[in-house]
């Protein structure tokens, strides 16, 4: 089977890293199923990809904080005769308010969006990949998973789950031809900090810390094709991760409390 007959489901395809993934995969001949809430953006991207790369490109608008969304996406794919060979679990955001001051539905939505939905999408698609003997799954974790924890944010914990569960599933599935990679970017130019409300702080960080989405995607896609279960893209990010990981928990905690520019609480 070639890329031309394979389909990639990309969540969060309406902006940033997800859009870059859709473009990268379409350029390689993959058909696409694009998911996010903003249907207008998805439709514009789908039209661009069909025109530029002559690939099939379907759109399914869904809010992944809705527990019914993962089943609805996969049911839609089945009805349309689409077989998911590649899953890019990318949709995500970070909250920016203190834990005790954030209403539970907001926190539950973050967990549904970045923990439950990607896990359910893997569960609903990995069995078919395994039966067919080929599949690729990229889960967007973050350098945050290897960094000191940030006060009150669920984000570090959520992205740590993503990094670890990706490795566990990779161990289970790799013997069956299915590779799972946790892609762990550092600061990447996208709408992430606009959504988080931290654009002003983020803009003051040195340029050397930042990557473009297409660099992150290129390295992440090469990693999953090569069967690497964890990919930290960019030299600076690799240095940060390898410098922080060996530190004792107590010291990481102090660093997280003092150095994290987005800390609150
Ligand atoms: N940018 C960074 O510095 C950075 C660093 C490390 C990791 N990451 C991770 O990379 C991933 C992509 O982030 P990005 O930087 O590309 O951010 P972005 O530009 O803000 O894009 C986020 C994407 O997620 C989608 N999304 C958000 N909430 C959703 C919901 N409830 N239902 C469906 N889709 C939803 C958005 O689409 P709609 O708004 O249209 O729904 C959008 O397409 C995230 O998982 C993020 O945690 C980012």
């Amino acid at each position: 089977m070639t890329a031309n007959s394979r389909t990639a489901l990309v969540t969060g395809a309406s902006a940033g890293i997800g859009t870059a993934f859709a473009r990268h995969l379409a350029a390689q001949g993959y058909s696409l199923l694009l998911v996010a809430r903003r249907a207008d953006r998805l439709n514009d991207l789908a039209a661009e990809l069909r025109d530029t790369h002559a690939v099939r490109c379907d759109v399914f608008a869904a809010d992944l904080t809705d527990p019914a969304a993962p089943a609805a996406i996969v049911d839609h794919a089945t009805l349309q005769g689409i077989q998911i060979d590649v899953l890019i679990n990318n949709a995500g955001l970070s909250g920016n308010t203190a834990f005790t001051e954030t209403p539970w539905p907001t926190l539950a939505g973050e967990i549904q969006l970045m923990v439950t939905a990607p896990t359910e999408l893997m569960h609903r698609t990995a069995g078919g990949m395994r039966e067919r003997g080929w599949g690729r799954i990229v889960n967007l974790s973050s350098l945050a998973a290897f960094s000191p924890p940030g006060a009150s944010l669920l984000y570090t914990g959520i992205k740590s789950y993503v990094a670890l569960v990706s490795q566990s599933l990779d161990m289970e599935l790799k013997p069956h031809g299915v590779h799972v990679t946790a892609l762990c970017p550092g600061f990447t130019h996208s709408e992430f900090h606009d959504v988080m409300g931290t654009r002003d702080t983020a803009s003051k960080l040195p340029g050397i810390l930042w990557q473009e989405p297409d660099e992150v995607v290129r390295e992440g896609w090469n990693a999953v094709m090569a069967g690497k279960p964890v990919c930290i893209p960019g030299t600076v990010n690799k240095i940060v991760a390898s410098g922080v990981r060996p530190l004792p928990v107590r010291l990481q905690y102090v660093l997280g409390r003092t150095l994290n520019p987005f800390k609150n609480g």
Side-chain angles (χ1 to χ4, degrees), residues 57-219:
C57 195
D58 291 69
V59 161
F60 189 81
D63 183 341
L64 287 163
T65 63
D66 175 358
I73 294 164
V74 176
D75 288 351
H76 171 81
T78 307
L79 274 174
Q80 297 299 313
I82 299 168
Q83 177 180 288
I84 308 298
D85 304 296
V86 175
L87 171 62
I88 312 291
N89 268 322
N90 164 78
L93 47 72
S94 174
N96 189 28
T97 51
F99 179 75
T100 46
E101 288 162 18
T102 308
W104 174 246
T106 304
L107 298 175
E110 287 179 31
I111 295 167
Q112 182 68 36
L113 171 65
M114 290 179 284
V115 175
T116 309
T119 309
E120 185 175 347
L121 284 173
M122 284 195 282
H123 192 256
R124 287 183 179 277
T125 58
M129 295 179 195
R130 181 189 157 134
E131 266 170 38
R132 296 189 293 275
W134 196 93
R136 299 290 182 264
I137 300 174
V138 178
N139 294 319
L140 263 293
S141 174
S142 168
L143 189 61
F146 301 99
S147 308
S152 76
L153 300 180
L154 290 189
Y155 193 74
T156 315
I158 285 173
K159 294 302 184 181
S160 300
Y161 166 81
V162 172
L164 287 171
V165 84
S166 299
Q167 293 168 71
S168 299
L169 296 185
D170 187 70
M171 277 182 213
E172 175 182 329
L173 294 168
K174 191 168 276 136
H176 306 283
V178 181
H179 301 180
V180 185
T181 295
L183 176 55
C184 310
F187 295 113
T188 308
H189 290 297
S190 71
E191 296 173 11
F192 184 86
H193 285 283
D194 304 306
V195 175
M196 193 179 169
T198 47
R199 174 58 60 203
D200 287 349
T201 311
S203 315
K204 292 181 189 126
L205 296 172
I208 193 174
L209 295 178
W210 290 86
Q211 284 194 292
E212 294 304 321
D214 53 344
E215 298 173 77
V216 169
V217 165
R218 210 177 316 116
E219 210 174 324

Side-chain angles (χ1 to χ4, degrees), residues 220-235:
W221 184 248
N222 288 344
V224 77
M225 291 306 278
K228 294 183 186 162
V230 177
C231 171
I232 299 171
T235 308

